[in-house]
Amino acid sequence: MMTRVLCILALAATLGGCGRAGIFKSDQPMFDGQRFRTVVKTERKNRQVFAVTVHQVSKSVEGARAAADYKAKQHCIQYFGTSEIDWTVAPDADVQSLRIVDNTLTFRGSCHDEAA
């Protein structure tokens, strides 16, 4: 009986890591026909102000911009219940003004907090 439980736990742990390994990507949204790795970074004490980074921009600049906007809105909805963002550097800025460094784009903004 204990062996079964251990096998089931091992199988669950193995399959749980598949999403991070990129095996089950079908649930990740596509932008301009591509999937992008996006990361939102905040200070733990202040999740309102954030930076969203999109990697592999060379796949599609338009897709990368849309992925950043999507990830930022996800973050703001999760922590503040709104998709309204006050951008410092916005995904809809002119392409010429975007600064791509090492195939990566970074945008900055803050979630619009209705309570504040």
Side-chain angles (χ1 to χ4, degrees):
M1 180 70 171
M2 187 62 152
T3 305
R4 281 187 185 168
V5 171
L6 289 175
C7 286
I8 291 171
L9 288 174
L11 179 63
T14 302
L15 289 176
C18 290
R20 289 193 174 270
I23 294 171
F24 298 127
K25 286 188 174 180
S26 62
D27 63 339
Q28 294 178 346
M30 294 179 78
F31 303 95
D32 199 22
Q34 303 292 325
R35 288 188 174 88
F36 294 89
R37 185 169 63 93
T38 56
V39 179
V40 173
K41 291 191 178 182
T42 66
E43 291 182 18
R44 193 173 290 259
K45 293 180 181 178
N46 183 10
R47 296 205 187 272
Q48 188 172 5
V49 177
F50 64 87
V52 60
T53 304
V54 185
H55 301 274
Q56 298 176 320
V57 176
S58 61
K59 290 197 266 184
S60 165
V61 173
E62 290 305 313
R65 290 159 56 132
D69 188 55
Y70 175 83
K71 191 70 167 186
K73 285 180 179 173
Q74 242 185 355
H75 169 78
C76 290
I77 289 169
Q78 178 181 356
Y79 289 101
F80 297 95
T82 182
S83 62
E84 292 183 46
I85 298 171
D86 299 320
W87 291 102
T88 304
V89 178
D92 63 355
D94 291 332
V95 176
Q96 294 80 12
S97 66
L98 298 178
R99 189 163 173 247
I100 300 172
V101 177
D102 295 331
N103 205 18
T104 302
L105 265 173
T106 301
F107 300 101
R108 299 185 192 289
S110 63
C111 303
H112 186 77
D113 188 5
E114 306 269 332

